[in-house]
Every structure is written in C-alpha cells, then in structure tokens.
C-alpha cells in the first residue's frame, strides 16, 4: 500500500468525494422519478386495460426510485454528520483506516471508490469487515477471510 503523507487531509477529501457522489446519485434519482411520472401521465394507449397496466408499472417504478432516494438521502445525511477533522485512537464510525493492504472509511455502504490513485472501501458499521476491525488501534493485527492484516494508520 502506498504511504499517504497527510492522512487527515486525505480523509477530508475522500469524505467530500463521497458526499458529492451521493448528491449526484440523489439528483439522478429525482430525475428518474420525474421521468416516470411524466411517462405515466402522458400514456394514452388504445385500451383502458393497457393504460391501467402501464400506470401500475410506472407506479412500481416510481416507488422503487423513491425507496432508493430515501436510502441515498439517509446515507448522505450520515456522511454529512461525520466530522472530517475528528482524530480516532481506535476504529469507529467516521474513521479512515489504512491497513498494510487496504484503506477503509467507516462512513456508510458505498463500496469501493478510487481517489488520488488509491482504492478506498467505504463501509458501514454493519459490514462483516467492520466487525473484524471495530475498536482496533494503530499497530493491531486482525484476520479476515483467511488473510492477515495490520492497522498501519488511523485518523
């Protein structure tokens, strides 16, 4: 793993990228909801049954987008609650964790992002890997799925 010179600055920038990504996802979902509404309103089929079927399909699509929008909004709110300047002595919500092999941001279920040529795994406190690292400190060792890791740095 590449040594990051200023881990605190890196954490702030990664968190900002996560926030921007969620804001973009929310905007896209809102556009999809509007498109589904417009499509349902403009449908004029030849029979009442086909219109009802189409409207039901559009309602289900809109409902799916609304659920995704609620999840994305909740994740965004969680990201915004994280203090980017907080320094951690042990792993918890909001920590940036650099192991000898990977980097994690404990901030929510976003998955892998790439920032400054580094892969960062943005995970929630409900993920299995979090269970393995919760409460660990710099220098601690842990095992996950048969692999051994060392907490190289933490902020």
């Amino acid at each position: 793993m590449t040594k990051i010179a200023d881990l605190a600055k890196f954490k702030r920038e990664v968190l900002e990228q996560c926030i921007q990504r969620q804001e973009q996802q929310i905007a896209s979902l809102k556009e999809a909801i509007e498109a589904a509404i417009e499509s349902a309103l403009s449908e004029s089929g030849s029979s009442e049954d086909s219109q009802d079927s189409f409207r039901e399909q559009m309602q289900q699509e809109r409902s799916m987008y609304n659920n995704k929008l609620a999840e994305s909004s909740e994740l965004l709110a969680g990201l915004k609650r994280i203090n980017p300047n907080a320094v951690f002595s042990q792993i918890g919500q909001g920590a940036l964790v650099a192991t000898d092999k990977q980097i994690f941001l404990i901030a929510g279920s976003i998955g892998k992002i790439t920032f400054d040529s580094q892969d960062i795994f943005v995970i929630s406190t409900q993920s299995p890997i979090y269970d393995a690292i919760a409460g660990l400190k710099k220098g601690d060792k842990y095992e996950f799925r048969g692999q051994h890791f060392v907490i190289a740095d933490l902020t």
Side-chain angles (χ1 to χ4, degrees):
M1 186 191 98
T2 305
K3 179 75 174 154
I4 300 169
D6 186 348
L7 198 62
K9 179 182 178 207
F10 184 78
K11 174 184 169 181
R12 287 189 298 274
E13 292 170 346
V14 168
L15 184 59
E16 183 58 36
Q17 181 177 342
C18 290
I19 289 171
Q20 289 174 1
R21 179 178 169 177
Q22 281 309 112
E23 289 172 340
Q24 290 169 351
Q25 184 174 10
I26 288 169
S28 295
L29 287 167
K30 286 179 179 178
E31 289 174 12
I33 290 168
E34 287 300 315
I37 291 169
E38 287 177 24
S39 183
L41 293 175
S42 67
E43 175 61 24
S44 57
S46 58
S47 74
E48 193 172 308
D49 286 345
S50 70
Q51 283 182 341
D52 289 344
S53 175
F54 179 76
R55 284 188 183 127
E56 176 63 25
Q57 181 182 354
M58 289 298 101
Q59 178 62 31
Q60 288 175 358
E61 187 175 323
R62 193 172 77 194
S63 180
M64 175 199 63
Y65 286 131
N66 279 327
N67 289 339
K68 286 184 178 184
L69 179 60
E71 290 172 9
S72 292
S73 296
E74 186 177 319
L75 179 54
L76 177 61
L79 290 169
K80 287 183 173 183
R81 281 192 300 269
I82 293 173
N83 178 354
N85 300 311
V87 178
F88 292 80
S89 60
Q90 61 184 34
I91 298 172
Q93 177 72 17
L96 182 77
V97 182
T99 74
D100 57 335
K101 298 175 182 145
Q102 299 172 315
I103 301 172
F104 298 100
L105 176 62
I106 317 302
S109 292
I110 293 178
K112 183 174 108 174
I113 65 169
T114 301
F115 181 77
D116 200 23
S117 302
Q118 295 281 330
D119 288 337
I120 300 102
F121 296 91
V122 184
I123 63 170
S124 76
T125 56
Q126 283 76 43
S127 70
I129 186 70
Y130 181 78
D131 289 340
I133 64 175
L136 295 180
K137 299 176 181 175
K138 183 177 177 177
D140 286 350
K141 298 175 183 178
Y142 69 97
E143 182 180 338
F144 184 72
R145 295 187 178 160
Q147 291 189 12
H148 297 275
F149 301 86
V150 176
I151 306 297
D153 211 345
L154 171 67
T155 189

